[in-house]
Amino acid sequence: MHRWSKLFIPTLREAPADAEVASHKFLLRAGYIRQLGAGIYSYLFLGQRSLNKIMAIVREEMDKIGQEFYLPGILPREPWEESGRWTAMGDNMFRLKDRKGADLCLGMTHEEIMTAIARGELRSYKQLPQIWYQIQTKFRDEPRPKSGLLRVRQFIMKDSYSFDIDKAGLDRSFDLHDQVYRAIFTRCGLKFVAVEADSGAMGGSQSQEFMVYTDAGEDLIASCPVCGYAANLEKATSRLEPVVELEPTGDGKPELVHTPGCAAIADVAAFFKISPASDIKCVAYMALRGYGPGPVLRNAGFGPMEPNWVPVAAFLRGDHQVNEVKLMGAIGANELRPMQAEELDKYFRGPAGYLGPVGLNPKEVQAQTSFGPAFSEKGKSQGTGEPLVVIIDRSLEGRKNMVCGANKLDYHLRNVTPGRDFNWTLGADIRSVNEGEGCPKDGCNGKLVVGKAVEVGHIFKLGYKYSEAMGARVLDPNGKEVTPIMGSYGIGIERILTAAIEQSNDANGFWLPASIAPFTVVVTVTNAADAALRETGEKLAAELEAAGLDVLLDDRDERAGVKFKDADLVGIPYRINVGKKAAGGQVELVTRAAASSEDVALDGAVARLKERVEEETLLEASC
């Protein structure tokens, strides 16, 4: 039996000033964690008990479909070079050298390492499918650690990897993970939603995130309350209402108009007395599209690897915003940065606020690669003869008589029609959807709502990205060598805990589901100096423990009010107060989530608490 008087539970009356979100404040106040450095935390007794319970649930569910491994946390450079991610991971990767000068890193994820095992051990389709998983510490050199355990530099992840002989097999592995993830998050008491997502640095053809809505979240989710459609803003689409096109002026051809001081979209719209939806906005970037040999040795076929920065002009409606993740995916870029003034002059011969597509001669799409479009060098910018990638959002296709910048200070063009007056490298969905836009699902008339959420899990169909790059091969039923197809699947262990706190807290503290709380119930002896009450509390705690419940006995020599406040603070979902009524065979059962209490017979307290826990479990499963 655990006695509060013997445990280290360093509660705080006030949260540190730098704790912003609810989960960070309460994890500190409840004594679950203590900060060691920026994005680096120690897990104390209560925190570790909750994390252990979460990992036990994850392990129990994952064992139904996979096999548990445990891989190194310190990794050599070579596998990452094979996949191309040693450079692509950039500054997010912790790098170091051993005493012999060999390059190493701290593991952010383990696609390469699992693929290396598969390459060395799997020989035949008869050995497939395989699902391998681990629960292990990961490291990321997060540039802006914040929000407690939500953005850190060291964290615990369950990551799993599937190897299948074909796409149908990958579909089955993906669906198995989808089912297991839903079971895990349900058992952990989370109110979650599964959304379409971008694959990001993992790559692959399909990915799905599991999100928990909370104002502490840094992800934005667009969802339809009518049909249930949901997607991360980096993936979401919408149905736009038709726009009434402007009437042409003059001969209907592009007309140069003096627009002094009209660099902002709102000023342009006011000047022309138009909706921003009829204005063409330009956002100019330099995009990092991999690395190549430096110019000195390029012709010799070798040389130091240098970043390949490509100029990109993105055009969209004036009332829309560029979604940079969508843009990077469309052009196969690893990173974006805004063009500087000298670059705008170099590629547009025009200043910010007055950029437009007319007169640009864009690069042409040559072929589609596994990393995005490949571009020919035929197109040239109007100013320098250097190629410029011009990408327009799909919402501009088919439009006419629009307004855009003239690439000249204080001038715009009107009567501009895409496809007639300018061309582009490619068209793609590169905008962020807005709340209130139409649901994209056929036949649904719902309107999208946008809310903040925390990602707790993510599943990817990787395809052949890693197995092909690293030379993994097996023999198919016909004896032919083929490349296994892969999936990757992650769960943030600490994120489950933080998301649970974010969705269940009040001014006095938080409450966790019994499945992941450090204790199911705290038995509070209101007056520890009273021998009879103390004996009754000890006997009840022992009976609860014998019934299979995790019990904490608060036997401290403290005032009852102090004990009640601490119990409300530390996340334990139930409390049984052993007080004056105990002499008459009654105790008080408090349910933290409902802030409710009921008097129950002392000899029926165990059975009643078990009923309440079972009711909670059934309620969570139905949500």
Side-chain angles (χ1 to χ4, degrees):
M1 181 191 306
H2 286 87
R3 299 171 183 273
W4 200 314
S5 63
K6 304 298 183 184
L7 299 178
F8 180 66
I9 305 176
T11 58
L12 303 174
R13 292 299 157 220
E14 300 291 336
D18 60 348
E20 299 175 350
V21 302
S23 58
H24 190 193
K25 293 176 182 177
F26 288 128
L27 283 166
L28 288 167
R29 287 190 58 202
Y32 277 53
I33 64 173
R34 287 295 181 263
Q35 185 168 347
L36 180 63
I40 305 172
Y41 288 87
S42 300
Y43 306 135
L44 308 187
F45 174 70
L46 292 183
Q48 186 61 21
R49 279 184 69 89
S50 281
L51 293 176
N52 282 341
K53 287 191 172 185
I54 292 168
M55 287 186 278
I57 291 172
V58 170
R59 184 171 281 115
E60 184 176 329
E61 295 296 332
M62 283 301 304
D63 281 345
K64 295 175 181 178
I65 65 170
Q67 306 153 72
E68 185 171 6
F69 285 26
Y70 190 79
L71 304 183
I74 185 167
L75 308 173
R77 173 176 179 159
E78 287 74 18
W80 296 85
E81 285 279 19
E82 291 182 65
S83 71
R85 292 206 298 176
W86 179 259
T87 302
M89 284 299 188
D91 291 338
N92 286 330
M93 179 183 281
F94 280 106
R95 303 165 197 268
L96 65 154
K97 292 181 181 291
D98 66 15
R99 65 180 65 196
K100 297 179 181 179
D103 287 321
L104 301 164
C105 69
L106 300 182
M108 303 172 61
T109 181
H110 281 74
E111 281 79 8
E112 285 82 357
I113 314 310
M114 285 291 193
T115 306
I117 295 172
R119 176 179 61 188
E121 305 294 335
L122 300 181
R123 295 288 178 263
S124 167
Y125 73 96
K126 295 179 181 180
Q127 295 171 279
L128 301 179
Q130 293 286 343
I131 294 177
W132 301 337
Y133 82 93
Q134 64 169 343
I135 299 174
Q136 196 225 42
T137 301
K138 308 290 188 184
F139 303 90
R140 178 178 56 219
D141 194 359
E142 174 62 56
R144 295 176 301 279
K146 68 174 187 176
S147 301
L149 301 184
L150 289 178
R151 185 183 278 189
V152 292
R153 296 198 287 172
Q154 176 179 315
F155 53 97
I156 304 170
M157 178 186 286
K158 187 290 300 177
D159 50 320
S160 54
Y161 307 87
S162 63
F163 298 85
D164 287 278
I165 193 66
D166 55 25
K167 292 183 178 179
L170 174 59
D171 289 344
R172 287 190 291 272
S173 294
F174 188 89
D175 290 343
L176 283 173
H177 278 84
D178 176 72
Q179 295 165 18
V180 163
Y181 275 37
R182 291 173 188 271
I184 289 169
F185 299 134
T186 297
R187 288 183 60 186
C188 290
L190 297 183
K191 301 177 180 68
F192 66 92
V193 60
V195 305
E196 298 176 18
D198 180 76
S199 297
M202 297 300 182
S205 61
Q206 181 183 348
S207 74
Q208 178 177 282
E209 290 175 336
F210 294 84
M211 313 291 289
V212 173
Y213 284 107
T214 167
D215 287 339
E218 294 183 320
D219 290 294
L220 290 173
I221 303 302
S223 61
C224 174
V226 176
C227 72
Y229 167 81
N232 190 300
L233 216 62
E234 298 166 351
K235 194 75 173 180
T237 60
S238 66
R239 186 183 67 255
L240 295 173
E241 297 296 328
V243 177
V244 177
E245 302 289 8
L246 301 175
E247 290 296 323
T249 59
D251 60 5
K253 294 180 180 180
E255 176 185 349
L256 190 65
V257 180
H258 188 217
T259 54
C262 294
I265 297 296
D267 295 333
V268 174
F271 182 92
F272 285 100
K273 296 180 174 58
I274 61 172
S275 164
S278 292
D279 180 52
I280 300 175
K281 176 167 63 178
C282 177
V283 186
Y285 296 97
M286 296 301 293
L288 178 63
R289 299 189 76 246
Y291 290 72
V296 175
L297 299 176
R298 185 175 292 126
N299 292 335
F302 60 91
M305 303 297 282
E306 293 186 0
N308 178 29
W309 289 97
V310 175
V312 176
F315 293 98
L316 65 166
R317 280 174 26 175
D319 58 336
H320 290 161
Q321 302 297 319
V322 172
N323 187 298
E324 293 187 351
V325 174
K326 287 184 177 181
L327 177 58
M328 287 192 291
I331 63 178
N334 307 106
E335 184 182 333
L336 295 173
R337 66 166 177 80
M339 278 194 191
Q340 305 301 311
E342 61 273 15
E343 291 165 334
L344 294 176
D345 184 63
K346 178 178 180 181
Y347 295 112
F348 290 88
R349 290 290 190 225
Y354 299 91
L355 303 179
V358 178
L360 301 181
N361 191 5
K363 274 188 178 184
E364 296 178 356
V365 175
Q366 188 176 47
Q368 182 73 24
T369 74
S370 60
F371 299 100
F375 303 115
S376 74
E377 300 299 320
K378 293 181 180 180
K380 308 295 178 183
S381 72
Q382 63 177 10
T384 65
E386 294 187 27
L388 178 69
V389 176
V390 176
I391 181 167
I392 72 164
D393 183 67
R394 295 290 187 197
S395 62
L396 291 182
E397 295 178 350
R399 296 292 307 279
K400 60 183 180 180
N401 301 327
M402 302 185 75
V403 171
C404 68
N407 295 316
K408 182 178 180 182
L409 180 64
D410 288 337
Y411 282 89
H412 281 76
L413 294 171
R414 62 184 169 195
N415 300 334
V416 174
T417 295
R420 182 195 70 181
D421 301 315
F422 67 90
N423 294 311
W424 49 88
T425 306
L426 72 160
D429 172 21
I430 60 169
R431 70 179 183 89
S432 290
V433 303
N434 294 314
E435 183 156 345
E437 293 175 350
C439 175
K441 292 294 186 182
D442 291 339
C444 181
N445 295 318
K447 301 294 185 181
L448 295 181
V449 295
V450 177
K452 290 183 177 180
V454 165
E455 176 191 332
V456 292
H458 203 161
I459 58 179
F460 305 83
K461 289 183 179 179
L462 293 178
Y464 300 100
K465 176 177 179 178
Y466 298 92
S467 52
E468 182 67 44
M470 298 183 67
R473 301 288 186 272
V474 296
L475 297 179
D476 71 6
N478 299 316
K480 179 184 176 182
E481 269 199 351
V482 296
T483 303
I485 192 168
M486 291 177 59
S488 176
Y489 318 88
I491 287 178
I493 302 299
E494 295 100 332
R495 283 184 166 236
I496 292 178
L497 176 59
T498 54
I501 295 172
E502 287 292 337
Q503 71 180 20
S504 301
N505 68 81
D506 59 22
N508 298 318
F510 65 98
W511 54 96
L512 293 172
S515 59
I516 65 172
F519 294 97
T520 306
V521 59
V522 53
V523 176
T524 302
V525 178
T526 59
N527 182 4
D530 186 319
L533 289 185
R534 193 168 61 247
E535 182 180 346
T536 300
E538 297 224 7
K539 184 174 181 293
L540 177 57
E543 291 172 353
L544 290 164
E545 191 169 62
L549 298 167
D550 277 335
V551 185
L552 174 60
L553 175 63
D554 192 348
D555 59 341
R556 293 176 296 166
D557 186 15
E558 292 280 3
R559 290 179 290 107
V562 171
K563 293 183 177 185
F564 295 161
K565 281 185 174 295
D566 280 344
D568 282 348
L569 173 64
V570 299
I572 299 174
Y574 300 100
R575 181 174 87 241
I576 297 179
N577 297 329
V578 180
K580 294 179 180 179
K581 294 181 181 179
Q586 295 280 312
V587 290
E588 183 182 24
L589 173 59
V590 178
T591 301
R592 179 69 177 88
S596 64
S597 65
E598 58 179 308
D599 288 339
V600 298
L602 182 58
D603 58 5
V606 174
R608 180 60 184 135
L609 178 58
K610 292 189 75 171
E611 285 179 10
R612 294 293 297 114
V613 173
E614 289 170 4
E615 289 168 3
E616 174 192 313
T617 302
L618 290 173
L619 179 61
E620 290 166 356
S622 66
C623 291

